[in-house]
């Protein structure tokens, strides 16, 4: 009966009882084990197969996915070389509990090496030359730290990593202020619309005035600064930091090298003991004056402006002595953005080289049921014994589990079974046993030619491709000569595997089907040094470089027919023609003047581009 006043029929009573029981069990599961457990099939066992049970399970899974997305904090650290980026990364791992002792950039004696600098050349030179991923749990959040190179020769690797980040931490040397590479990387973070947190480092050394540093950031970047941590002194007089929001002062005692700093005291700004605990009347008076000035002159924290990249929280500290590191980590957990919607490729060539997002792009929500992700880095020989290749895939939506069947966008929906997947902590890898969620980075082993930078993997019926990753045009060109013919196979294998990572490109003389001298195209000379070092350490082969005079490159996307026509018309003079590994024409120029003339004369006709991504399968077939 449908009359609400009449008693329910036995069948209806049974149905209501089953539904009530199912919901009760579900709520009990949530209370006891959380949303993730409620999403399991057993949570709705009271009504197996029923529409209600399926609906409850689907709702529970949606809520569980949203909960996991909210738990993620994915961040990239950017800075000029020697600002202390790798040291800060190690300390974030230390305070996050991922390691028990922080490593040193240039380790001596029994000191531990930095977790993020695992290549031999990185350890020898004390610099980061490759992006790494470091994942761990902290304070109920899943943290994914993307450590990036600071040297300008590796800017492309840094730009790709920023494409996978949801937040950026800009590290500034307190003694030097803003430096050239910091400026460049800030612009990329702005174009990617990333929330930006600023950590002013090395306060344990003589430093610029904190007001001068804030003025630099606001004047050069046009962004509002909101100091959250304010230094008490600097250099030998550095005593700690003021936590402005809570109006309390954290006074530190220096910890042992690589260990956590000891917090000597946390006292209210109004505590009568503060001056005695600081131990310096002048610093105490300066702190009280600073508080009044900051309250009157600086903008309050605005989360909406932070998310739009219009305001940056500023924190002061010292990564080397651990002052302020845990407060930075806590700030990132509370104010950092969880994974956000990812923009799909709109076919806009302006974003092809700049990576700029306008905010008008079609997006994929991280809570979307279907899985999606993109490749932002390739790495060969993370395990040199097995000559492996790993694709770093940033999960953008849905869930990822080992064995998932996905479609490959560039290969026009070709299906792949990702039977192996790994979690990453620098060079350490372990088999992925659980589920990865948006914001996580997973390592996917792949076969030659199967993956390229920027590839999109997805499930579902609709083919999607995420927005392009910023790219650079090479400016250094060298013939790569094998001085030991007896090691021909090892040499070729090393070149093929290392260049597959995408940091350095391979060019060939036109018509070279193999056996010719490869030509390496790099953004900077240090990249060639890395190739040489890795060929020696990982493949036991040496290399000799014969530098070429050209300094500019352009891909002629119109194809060889148009290039040949222009050459026959003598409209390309003093230009060297090569081809890339996909057979596409590449023009090399000896000067910017020669390039500008070519662009003005035949740029539109040849469709000249500073860079070209790996073509999809349909484009390859057309070329053939």
């Amino acid at each position: 009966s449908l009359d609400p006043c009449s008693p329910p029929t036995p069948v209806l009573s049974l149905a209501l009882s089953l539904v009530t029981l199912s919901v009760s069990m579900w709520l009990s599961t949530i209370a006891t084990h959380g949303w993730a457990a409620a999403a399991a099939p057993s949570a709705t066992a009271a009504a197996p197969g029923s529409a209600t049970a399926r609906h409850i399970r689907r709702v529970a899974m949606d809520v569980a996915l949203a909960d996991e997305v909210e738990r993620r904090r994915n961040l990239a650290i950017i800075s000029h070389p020697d600002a202390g980026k790798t040291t800060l990364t190690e300390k974030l791992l230390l305070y996050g509990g991922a390691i028990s002792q922080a490593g040193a950039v240039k380790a001596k004696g029994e000191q531990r090496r930095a977790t993020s600098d695992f290549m031999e050349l990185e350890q020898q030179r004390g610099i980061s030359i490759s992006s790494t991923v470091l994942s761990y749990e902290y304070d109920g959040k899943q943290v994914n730290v993307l450590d990036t190179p600071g040297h300008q020769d590796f800017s492309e690797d840094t730009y790709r990593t920023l494409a996978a980040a949801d937040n950026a931490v800009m590290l500034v040397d307190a003694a030097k202020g803003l430096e050239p590479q910091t400026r460049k990387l800030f612009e990329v973070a702005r174009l990617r619309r990333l929330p930006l947190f600023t950590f002013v480092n090395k306060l344990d050394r003589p430093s610029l005035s904190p007001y001068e540093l804030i003025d630099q950031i606001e004047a050069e970047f046009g962004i509002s600064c909101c100091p959250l941590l304010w230094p008490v002194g600097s250099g030998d007089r550095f005593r700690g930091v003021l936590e402005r929001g809570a109006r309390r002062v954290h006074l530190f005692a220096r910890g042992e090298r690589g260990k956590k700093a000891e917090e000597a005291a946390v006292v209210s700004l109004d505590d009568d003991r503060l001056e005695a605990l600081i131990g310096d009347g002048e610093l105490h008076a300066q702190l009280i004056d600073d508080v009044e000035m900051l309250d009157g002159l600086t903008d309050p924290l605005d989360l909406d402006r932070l998310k739009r990249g219009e305001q940056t929280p500023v924190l002061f500290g010292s990564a080397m002595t651990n002052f302020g590191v845990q407060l930075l980590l806590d700030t990132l957990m509370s104010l950092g953005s969880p994974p956000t919607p990812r923009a799909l490729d709109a076919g806009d060539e302006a974003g092809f080289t700049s990576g700029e997002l306008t905010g008008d792009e079609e997006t994929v929500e991280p809570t979307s049921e279907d899985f999606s992700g993109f490749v932002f880095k390739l790495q060969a020989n993370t395990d040199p014994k097995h000559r492996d290749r790993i694709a770093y895939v940033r999960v953008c939506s849905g869930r990822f589990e080992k064995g998932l069947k996905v479609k490959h966008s560039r290969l026009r929906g070709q299906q792949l079974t990702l039977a192996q997947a790994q979690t990453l902590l620098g060079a350490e890898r372990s088999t992925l046993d659980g589920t990865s969620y948006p914001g996580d980075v997973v390592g996917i082993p792949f076969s030659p030619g199967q993956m390229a930078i920027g590839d999109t993997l997805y499930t579902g019926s609709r083919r999607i491709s995420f927005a392009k990753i910023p790219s650079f045009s090479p400016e250094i060109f060298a013939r790569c000569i094998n001085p030991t013919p007896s090691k021909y196979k090892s040499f070729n294998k090393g070149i093929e595997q290392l260049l597959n990572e995408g940091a350095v490109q391979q060019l060939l003389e036109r018509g070279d089907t193999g056996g010719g001298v490869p030509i390496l195209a790099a953004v900077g000379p240090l990249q060639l040094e890395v190739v040489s070092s890795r060929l020696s350490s990982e493949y036991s082969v040496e290399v000799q470089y014969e530098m070429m005079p050209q300094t500019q490159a352009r891909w002629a996307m119109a194809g060889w027919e148009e290039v040949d026509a222009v050459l026959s018309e003598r409209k390309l003079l003093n230009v060297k023609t090569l081809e890339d590994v996909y057979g596409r024409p590449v023009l090399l120029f000896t000067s910017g003047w020669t390039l500008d003339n070519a662009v003005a004369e035949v740029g539109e006709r040849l469709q000249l581009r500073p860079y070209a991504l790996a073509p999809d399968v349909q484009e390859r077939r057309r070329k053939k």
Side-chain angles (χ1 to χ4, degrees):
S1 171
L2 298 180
D3 182 356
C5 297
S6 62
T9 64
V11 173
L12 183 57
S13 296
L14 177 61
L16 289 172
S17 298
L18 288 172
V19 171
T20 302
L21 177 61
S22 176
V23 173
S24 298
M25 293 176 63
W26 177 60
L27 292 174
S28 176
T29 301
I30 293 173
T32 306
H33 302 291
W35 285 105
S42 60
T44 52
S50 69
T52 301
R54 290 195 298 272
H55 176 71
I56 291 173
R57 187 181 302 119
R58 186 165 57 252
V59 170
M61 292 183 69
D62 289 345
V63 173
L65 176 58
D67 183 55
E68 289 294 340
V69 170
E70 183 61 33
R71 282 200 326 115
R72 262 59 188 175
R73 293 294 183 272
N74 181 306
L75 58 105
I77 304 176
I78 58 176
S79 76
H80 192 82
D82 299 324
K85 179 173 51 56
T86 297
T87 301
L88 177 61
T89 301
E90 288 291 300
K91 298 306 173 70
L92 291 176
L93 295 177
L94 175 68
Y95 279 92
I99 57 178
S100 59
Q101 180 180 2
V105 176
K106 291 187 177 180
K108 299 178 182 178
E110 298 301 316
Q111 281 184 266
R112 207 179 144 273
R113 294 285 187 185
T115 307
S116 56
D117 288 349
F118 56 85
M119 290 186 185
E120 183 177 330
L121 187 60
E122 289 180 310
Q123 296 172 358
Q124 290 174 354
R125 297 281 294 270
I127 59 172
S128 297
I129 62 176
S130 178
S131 298
T132 51
V133 179
L134 306 131
S135 303
Y136 58 92
E137 289 263 351
Y138 175 76
D139 194 27
K141 300 287 195 296
Q142 175 67 31
V143 184
N144 298 296
V145 180
L146 308 177
D147 184 38
T148 63
H151 197 284
Q152 63 181 5
D153 286 4
F154 306 106
S155 294
E156 191 164 20
D157 198 12
T158 302
Y159 279 36
R160 291 168 179 171
T161 302
L162 282 170
D166 297 306
N167 303 275
V169 177
M170 179 173 69
L171 196 60
V172 177
D173 188 321
K176 300 176 181 177
L178 297 181
E179 298 174 270
Q181 191 67 1
T182 311
R183 294 181 175 94
K184 292 180 182 178
L185 295 175
F186 169 82
E187 289 302 327
V188 179
R190 184 200 290 272
L191 291 171
R192 303 299 302 181
R193 294 175 172 260
L194 295 177
L196 183 73
F197 297 80
T198 300
F199 186 75
V200 181
N201 192 28
K202 301 187 179 181
L203 262 295
D204 57 315
R205 302 179 182 181
S207 308
L208 298 174
S209 158
Y211 294 107
E212 184 178 352
L213 291 164
I214 285 178
D215 286 344
Q216 278 189 18
I217 295 170
E218 292 189 335
E220 294 206 29
F221 296 156
I223 189 171
S224 170
C225 289
C226 178
L228 299 184
L229 295 184
W230 191 255
V232 181
S234 67
D236 292 339
R237 300 176 70 196
F238 184 47
R239 298 291 188 267
V241 292
L242 164 69
E243 188 181 356
R244 288 186 63 217
R247 293 183 67 82
R248 59 190 178 193
V249 179
H250 297 255
L251 300 173
F252 296 100
R254 295 176 184 268
E256 297 177 29
R257 180 182 290 270
K259 300 291 186 181
K260 296 182 181 180
E262 298 177 13
E263 201 162 52
V266 180
V267 293
S268 169
L269 186 63
D270 304 318
D271 195 308
D272 294 337
R273 301 171 300 157
L274 180 58
E275 182 176 352
L277 289 170
I278 291 176
D280 188 319
E282 183 182 354
L283 285 182
H284 177 261
Q286 180 66 52
L287 175 62
I288 300 304
D289 290 343
D290 287 344
V291 170
E292 294 180 3
M293 187 173 293
L294 291 171
D295 289 345
L297 297 179
T298 59
D299 294 334
L301 182 65
D302 185 325
L303 293 181
D304 290 334
R305 294 181 70 194
L306 169 61
K307 291 179 180 178
R308 293 196 301 267
E310 298 171 1
Q311 186 181 60
T312 176
V314 181
L315 303 93
F316 292 82
S318 167
M320 180 60 72
T321 56
N322 304 320
F323 292 177
V325 174
Q326 184 158 7
L327 293 171
L328 169 64
L329 187 56
D330 290 339
T331 298
L332 292 169
M333 296 306 99
S334 61
L335 301 181
S337 174
T340 55
R342 305 295 295 188
L344 293 177
D345 184 12
D348 179 15
E349 293 190 359
F352 175 65
T353 54
S354 71
E356 180 173 8
L357 300 178
T358 64
D360 299 325
E361 297 86 3
E362 183 181 0
T363 59
V364 173
E365 294 289 334
T367 52
S368 171
E369 181 179 355
D370 291 329
F371 162 80
S372 66
F374 68 92
V375 178
F376 69 92
K377 177 180 173 62
L378 302 176
Q379 182 74 47
N381 294 335
T382 50
D383 183 359
K385 295 180 180 178
H386 296 94
R387 295 279 185 257
D388 60 347
R389 300 175 178 86
I390 298 293
Y392 287 54
V393 177
R394 152 70 197 251
V395 181
C396 296
S397 67
R399 296 171 173 82
F400 177 87
E401 295 177 343
K402 187 172 62 174
L404 183 70
K405 296 183 184 298
V406 302
K407 297 173 183 176
H408 193 307
S409 184
R410 182 172 56 85
L411 302 184
R412 294 288 167 171
Q414 176 182 324
Q415 190 172 84
L416 305 174
T417 300
L418 305 181
Q420 299 181 53
Q422 298 164 343
T423 58
L424 306 161
L425 182 68
E428 298 176 16
R429 300 172 302 161
S430 57
T431 301
L432 176 66
D433 294 323
T435 303
S436 292
Y437 295 92
D440 290 343
V441 176
V442 294
I444 305 296
F446 66 97
S447 302
Q450 194 176 56
M451 298 286 185
I453 301 293
D455 280 352
T456 297
L457 306 177
Y458 65 98
T459 61
S461 57
R462 180 191 176 195
R463 178 175 176 258
I464 63 171
S465 181
F466 287 112
K468 298 180 179 72
I469 297 177
S471 301
F472 286 68
S473 181
E475 298 177 0
I476 303 290
F477 306 91
R479 289 184 173 84
C480 188
I481 299 170
N482 173 20
T484 312
S486 62
K487 294 187 175 182
Y488 171 81
K489 288 186 177 180
S490 295
F491 179 84
N492 282 358
K493 186 173 185 178
I495 290 291
E496 184 268 325
Q497 289 195 353
L498 294 183
L499 269 57
N500 186 251
E501 294 180 3
V504 177
Q505 299 179 67
Q506 180 176 354
L507 303 177
L508 303 165
E509 297 288 351
R510 185 178 181 181
D512 184 356
T513 57
V517 176
I519 297 171
L520 304 192
V523 173
L526 196 52
Q527 287 182 312
L528 297 182
E529 186 178 339
V530 170
V531 172
S532 176
S533 173
R534 293 185 63 187
L535 283 172
S536 176
S537 63
E538 298 173 21
Y539 297 89
S540 300
V541 296
E542 301 302 319
V543 62
Q544 292 178 355
Y545 291 127
E546 183 182 293
M547 304 306 295
M548 298 171 61
Q550 288 79 15
T551 59
Q552 307 278 347
R554 288 298 182 269
W555 270 251
M557 304 307 291
W560 278 112
E561 186 174 340
E562 282 296 329
V563 171
D564 289 338
V566 168
L567 287 171
S568 67
E569 296 166 13
R570 299 185 60 79
K571 291 182 178 179
L572 280 178
L573 301 177
N574 300 318
V575 174
K576 185 168 184 60
T577 57
L578 300 172
E579 63 181 35
D580 66 10
V581 292
Y582 300 106
R584 298 175 297 194
V586 184
L587 310 182
L588 301 190
F589 302 86
T590 55
S591 67
W593 181 85
T594 310
L595 171 61
D596 291 342
N597 279 350
V599 170
E601 185 77 14
V602 295
E604 187 173 341
R605 179 178 172 184
L606 294 182
Q607 300 175 35
L608 296 181
R609 301 290 182 269
Y611 191 88
L613 293 176
D616 63 30
V617 290
Q618 288 189 359
E619 186 176 344
R620 288 193 204 177
R621 290 172 186 148
R622 287 196 296 270
K623 296 294 181 185
K624 292 179 180 179

